[in-house]
Amino acid sequence: MQPLDDGQQRAVQAAIQAAQQAYAPYSQYHVGAALLAADGRIFTGCNVENASYPAGICAERGALAKAVSEGARDFSLVVVATQNGGSPCGICRQSLLEFSPAARVLCVTFEGLVHVDSTVAELLPFGFSPRSLI
Ligand code: THU
């Protein structure tokens, strides 16, 4: 595994911390996400569930909405933190592909153990992206 630099390590810690804000009374599955933007800023998110289940949102897309609304669109790293190092769902892979196919993706446990070290494009092979519309 490629060693993590300072910014990447900060992103890992930020994702783990973000999971503490998860609102997951239905699944009890807490997720934290952190996006490291090209300018060094880190945007975090957590899953926010809803009594009307489909209205819930994943941690990754929460972080992405924050980032894009703050002017960040280019990400070098996506960190997802869960109890078991689970990887992003299909919808989140699609949302991330829109902005940063080359971004590295780290799926870590709350103890910081890396379960997945990949890229957005690798996680969604033959994905539909802005280039597909040309
Ligand atoms: N979840 C995420 O936040 N990100 C993912 O990529 C996978 C699933 C959330 C959605 C729901 O709140 C809980 O995890 C269980 O599916």
Side-chain angles (χ1 to χ4, degrees):
M1 187 184 105
Q2 288 276 92
L4 304 182
D5 65 23
D6 271 8
Q8 292 170 325
Q9 279 175 27
R10 279 193 298 119
V12 168
Q13 290 313 313
I16 293 170
Q17 212 170 338
Q20 290 179 17
Q21 304 303 327
Y23 176 71
Y26 307 107
S27 71
Q28 310 293 339
Y29 190 73
H30 293 199
V31 187
L35 302 175
L36 178 59
D39 62 9
R41 284 186 291 169
I42 292 174
F43 297 90
T44 60
C46 63
N47 53 333
V48 181
E49 297 185 347
N50 192 280
S52 174
Y53 292 5
I57 186 163
C58 291
E60 298 90 321
R61 280 176 293 136
L64 194 59
K66 267 164 92 173
V68 174
S69 64
E70 299 286 334
R73 294 182 179 175
D74 184 15
F75 310 106
S76 61
L77 178 69
V78 179
V79 183
V80 183
T82 58
Q83 63 192 28
N84 59 356
S87 63
C89 79
I91 299 175
C92 289
R93 293 175 195 210
Q94 180 67 37
S95 297
L96 293 166
L97 189 75
E98 180 78 15
F99 295 98
S100 287
R104 187 177 180 184
V105 178
L106 294 176
C107 302
V108 305
T109 65
F110 295 144
E111 292 75 38
L113 205 72
V114 177
H115 275 231
V116 174
D117 183 356
S118 187
T119 68
V120 172
E122 281 170 0
L123 289 179
L124 196 59
F126 304 103
F128 192 85
S129 72
R131 270 182 289 174
S132 308
L133 291 171
I134 296 168

